[in-house]
Amino acid sequence: MPAEENEQIGQAPLAPTPRAETGTRRDRRDAAALALKGVPHEPGASKPDPIVVVDDMLRQFGGLTAVDVEHVEVQRGAITALIGPNGAGKTTFFNLLTCFDQPDSGTWTFNGHSLTGVAAHRVARLGMVRTFQLTKALSKLTVIENMRLGATGQRGENVFRALFRSVWRTQEGEITDRADDLLARFKLDTKREDFAGSLSGGQRKLLEMARALMVGPEMVMLDEPMAGVNPALTQSLLGHVKDLREDGMTVLFVEHDMDMVRDISDWVIVMAQGKVIAEGPPDSVMGDQRVIDAYLGSHHDAALTEEDEEQVLAEAEEALERERAENEEAKH
Amino acid sequence: MDWTRILINALEASVGLQAVVFALAAIGLNVHFGYTGLLNFGQSGFLAVAAYGLAVTVATFGLPFWLGIVIGLVGAVLLALLLGIPTLRLRADYLAIVTIASSEIIRLVVRSVTFEGTFGGSDGRQNFAAGFYSLNPYPKGNYNIGEFGFPERVMWILTVGWALVGLSCLIVLLLMRSPWGRVLKAIREDEDAVRSLGKNVYSYKMQSLIIGGVLGSLGGFVYALGQASIQPDIFGTDTTFFAYTVLILGGAARVGAPVVGAMIFWVILSLTDNVLNQAIDAGYISSSIINNTQVGQFRFMLVGLLLMILMIFRPQGIFGDRREIALDAR
């Protein structure tokens, strides 16, 4: 792939704008850590300044309970990681929070707005923007067009005004300037006129993140930002996520890569089988017995008897079946 | 064999009534399928609603010509809403199913015996075009350059028809280079991504369905007025698929593609028809191999073959961008 060599430019130290200096970054990190200091390391712990509050959220697919969260709060201005083993319901929870899926019951608020029954595009307009696990670069649009699309309140997006260029030309210019700034920051400016479909996996992730920023969000939700990203680009992506906090945004992300979670998150929420089982700063969470049990099974260090083995096998098969059902469900 | 006649027929087909009608139908489809990714398999329904809206208003109820046009246009908008409201929130294939079914429902209703008094059953409607031809600025006579040319009535409908084609292309051009068109193209690529950026996808899809439907319905008016007569079976599924052929020949998501596609499509049909018929008449082809009545069907096979060859060697259509097709293969 010819795009490969260009990925390396993303590795440069991250100081594209004055506000991203390491000093301020540490300040923000410290501020977030300080704010979260007194918070008990318990599932459902209340935060000093929550931006998202979730109560009794339930989502079932047929007989399977995908998400059953009693209470969760996300701290404003911090980077919160959502982790858990496969099938824990992280992505479903994500979809529910951003209204891409509707829960069977429960209430949740963003900035004090109730999001029950709100359309997904309105959530974005309220300031909560998400990315996707399978990157959704709009392949046959150029990189710059992808970026321009992200801007909200465009006059030219009304069908009647669209016919008259003079009505939207000035605004389009402003949007383009903003897009170019972001592209430079994400080191995508050399790809400006290329089709988004011609970018590599990592560049698409960058583009998706940059495009989300065009909306001007208060909170960014990243669904597995590192999935399928070449390790050389990981550091750069990590830097960009930290920059979001830098700019005063709140970040909630789903991730499997524990090193990344430890490196950038201020707070970690652990899900297993649809429930929140632990919360806390990264170091305390990773030593938590409940978390280890959730990932490895509670009897992982005891020898297996034949009966156990059969049971484990049966459970595994059941789980596979469930997952298949869930997938089926998700497809429809 | 009279090659002059063959070529003149082909030339006339390239600008003739059918080319205009299918250019308009395909311009509408281009908005749906080419730009927004909506699978509308019932474009003939929009043509039918316009044609019957006009014909029934004038011929059955004796109301003025312009009112008929208005009713046809309103009918097209209502049809788009009717099709869109239940399906545009669902996956793409539901729109395809509903549109193909609804266009057949429209055809079967207007040809039904029950409503013969209103729609004229399988004979359709005539005597509604007088209002249109009374506006004809061309004096009586033939307007020819050599052997190529048309009488004044045909000149009038073709003038209006090509003006509508030009206007439609202009509207599509202006819309598609605007931020509005950008949202449409983004929806074609991935509607969830567009939703996540705060755009009301449902509303844009509905606008696209209405605009494409109305542009297509212009083809219905032109056909009805050009023939001064309509029958229900003109608006079968064939019409929709010819329009798709025209669009794909030209290259989807290109403003001028439907126009060039339509011209090429009807030139090929005219050429194959004339060449084969004359070859049979002149005895070059034995009528034991193929006779004159079989030519009509055979030429569609040739069009199919041509389309296959085009898809193999130029999958983007005549005007398409090869780079875009290459992206799909990644």
Side-chain angles (χ1 to χ4, degrees):
Chain A
M1 212 182 299
E4 210 70 21
E5 62 208 32
N6 288 303
E7 289 199 353
Q8 291 183 357
I9 49 176
Q11 280 180 54
L14 282 148
T17 49
R19 63 177 182 275
E21 279 163 25
T22 33
T24 29
R25 180 180 294 163
R26 194 163 299 129
D27 289 349
R28 289 279 189 171
R29 175 156 215 174
D30 291 348
L34 194 68
L36 289 162
K37 198 172 181 193
V39 178
H41 301 175
E42 278 305 315
S46 61
K47 313 288 187 306
D49 183 14
I51 188 167
V52 170
V53 180
V54 181
D55 278 300
D56 301 310
M57 188 183 266
L58 180 71
R59 179 70 172 108
Q60 290 177 312
F61 295 118
L64 174 90
T65 304
V67 167
D68 180 10
V69 170
E70 267 179 41
H71 185 81
V72 144
E73 294 181 7
V74 177
Q75 171 70 11
R76 187 188 308 275
I79 300 180
T80 305
L82 184 61
I83 66 168
N86 286 328
K90 304 181 295 289
T91 295
T92 310
F93 186 51
F94 230 69
N95 287 344
L96 292 172
L97 285 180
T98 50
C99 296
F100 273 75
D101 189 11
Q102 295 298 321
D104 298 311
S105 66
T107 55
W108 70 113
T109 60
F110 170 70
N111 256 342
H113 290 278
S114 170
L115 294 184
T116 313
V118 173
H121 70 273
R122 295 210 179 276
V123 175
R125 287 186 199 169
L126 285 170
M128 185 201 260
V129 177
R130 69 168 300 177
T131 66
F132 296 86
Q133 188 174 344
L134 298 169
T135 325
K136 295 186 185 297
L138 305 162
S139 302
K140 288 178 194 168
L141 266 59
T142 60
V143 168
I144 186 73
E145 283 285 75
N146 261 272
M147 294 294 288
R148 287 188 188 123
L149 179 74
T152 49
Q154 297 191 39
R155 284 192 284 272
E157 286 184 357
N158 173 294
V159 64
F160 298 109
R161 278 176 291 196
L163 287 168
F164 307 101
R165 193 175 205 166
S166 54
V167 178
W168 48 265
R169 189 163 43 194
T170 323
Q171 194 190 25
E172 183 87 341
E174 291 161 13
I175 290 168
T176 307
D177 290 344
R178 204 149 61 82
D180 279 329
D181 286 348
L182 275 169
L183 283 181
R185 180 168 149 194
F186 281 83
K187 307 265 190 274
L188 287 169
D189 39 355
T190 54
K191 299 271 165 194
R192 194 177 188 269
E193 301 300 333
D194 292 6
F195 282 125
S198 71
L199 300 182
S200 72
Q203 289 169 330
R204 287 183 204 204
K205 289 271 178 197
L206 285 173
L207 175 61
E208 200 183 21
M209 205 187 284
R211 191 177 64 198
L213 296 185
M214 283 298 290
V215 183
E218 238 180 288
M219 180 169 183
V220 181
M221 318 268 287
L222 307 170
D223 197 351
E224 302 207 14
M226 296 298 154
V229 175
N230 140 13
L233 204 57
T234 311
Q235 279 308 315
S236 148
L237 256 171
L238 280 180
H240 287 303
V241 176
K242 288 180 191 167
D243 278 351
L244 301 182
R245 180 180 56 195
E246 209 58 28
D247 294 343
M249 280 175 252
T250 307
V251 179
L252 178 68
F253 72 100
V254 170
E255 191 48 71
H256 281 297
D257 182 339
M258 286 303 160
D259 286 333
M260 173 186 174
V261 171
R262 189 176 288 119
D263 185 8
I264 68 167
S265 50
D266 303 308
W267 194 258
V268 180
I269 297 172
V270 189
M271 284 185 78
Q273 293 172 342
K275 292 181 193 302
V276 173
I277 58 158
E279 270 192 55
D283 291 330
S284 95
V285 155
M286 296 198 185
D288 193 307
Q289 192 58 42
R290 288 168 300 194
V291 178
I292 297 168
D293 289 350
Y295 270 90
L296 301 171
S298 52
H299 302 295
H300 64 275
D301 47 2
L304 280 178
T305 66
E306 209 164 287
E307 278 165 37
D308 285 340
E309 232 171 90
E310 269 167 28
Q311 199 192 336
V312 168
L313 193 68
E315 275 172 15
E317 270 168 6
E318 208 180 330
L320 276 176
E321 196 61 58
R322 262 206 309 264
E323 202 163 293
R324 195 157 47 214
E326 195 176 338
N327 283 340
E328 293 278 61
E329 194 83 28
K331 262 185 229 159
H332 290 301
Chain B
M1 281 172 72
D2 182 358
W3 283 102
T4 328
R5 192 66 248 158
I6 290 172
L7 290 176
I8 282 169
N9 281 347
L11 198 59
E12 286 176 355
S14 74
V15 294
L17 185 70
Q18 298 282 11
V20 175
V21 171
F22 279 87
L24 286 167
I27 288 169
L29 266 189
N30 201 16
V31 173
H32 292 155
F33 174 73
Y35 290 104
T36 325
L38 298 175
L39 280 174
N40 169 17
F41 283 135
Q43 188 70 340
S44 62
F46 285 100
L47 274 74
V49 165
Y52 270 91
L54 170 66
V56 168
T57 305
V58 178
T60 310
F61 297 108
L63 295 165
F65 164 73
W66 286 108
L67 188 66
I69 298 284
V70 171
I71 287 177
L73 289 172
V74 170
V77 172
L78 288 180
L79 178 62
L81 288 171
L82 193 68
L83 296 175
I85 288 169
T87 57
L88 289 181
R89 284 184 208 279
L90 305 173
R91 238 174 22 197
D93 14 358
Y94 290 96
L95 180 69
I97 297 165
V98 167
T99 47
I100 199 169
S102 68
S103 72
E104 281 296 276
I105 290 169
I106 290 169
R107 186 176 68 85
L108 292 170
V109 167
V110 295
R111 90 192 295 281
S112 67
V113 178
T114 320
F115 296 113
E116 203 167 354
T118 313
F119 297 115
S122 57
D123 292 335
R125 283 281 154 215
Q126 291 77 31
N127 303 324
F128 52 81
F132 175 75
Y133 287 104
S134 69
L135 301 169
N136 191 350
Y138 293 103
K140 209 167 168 50
N142 279 315
Y143 294 81
N144 283 8
I145 306 164
E147 283 191 55
F148 167 73
F150 303 99
E152 84 286 352
R153 276 172 72 94
V154 181
M155 283 300 284
W156 176 223
I157 186 68
L158 289 184
T159 307
V160 172
W162 283 105
L164 287 173
V165 169
L167 184 70
S168 303
C169 283
L170 181 69
I171 289 173
V172 172
L173 178 72
L174 290 176
L175 284 177
M176 292 311 159
R177 64 169 195 190
S178 76
W180 185 85
R182 179 162 66 219
V183 178
L184 250 54
K185 286 179 247 174
I187 290 172
R188 175 190 68 197
E189 298 301 308
D190 194 315
E191 58 176 82
D192 270 345
V194 180
R195 214 171 265 130
S196 80
L197 297 170
K199 319 287 177 201
N200 187 349
V201 170
Y202 177 69
S203 161
Y204 281 102
K205 280 162 59 169
M206 186 63 89
Q207 292 170 32
S208 163
L209 193 63
I210 292 172
I211 290 171
V214 168
L215 291 177
S217 78
L218 299 179
F221 291 128
V222 172
Y223 185 89
L225 292 171
Q227 301 282 14
S229 161
I230 49 170
Q231 293 78 40
D233 292 334
I234 298 157
F235 305 106
T237 47
D238 294 8
T239 303
T240 301
F241 292 119
F242 287 173
Y244 264 100
T245 309
V246 159
L247 178 61
I248 290 164
L249 262 172
R254 289 290 176 278
V255 174
V259 182
V260 176
M263 292 170 87
I264 293 174
F265 183 79
W266 288 102
V267 165
I268 293 167
L269 286 185
S270 162
L271 276 180
T272 47
D273 193 53
N274 283 300
V275 169
L276 285 171
N277 273 325
Q278 291 211 22
I280 292 165
D281 291 342
Y284 295 129
I285 298 175
S286 155
S287 57
S288 63
I289 298 171
I290 183 169
N291 63 36
N292 292 96
T293 49
Q294 291 164 336
V295 165
Q297 301 307 313
F298 182 70
R299 59 192 185 142
F300 285 114
M301 294 182 202
L302 289 176
V303 170
L305 186 68
L306 181 91
L307 197 64
M308 276 191 252
I309 294 169
L310 182 82
M311 286 298 105
I312 292 166
F313 293 104
R314 203 175 163 80
Q316 70 271 37
I318 291 161
F319 279 120
D321 186 340
R322 181 125 217 165
R323 289 193 305 161
E324 290 189 8
I325 300 291
L327 290 177
D328 292 335
R330 280 167 75 96

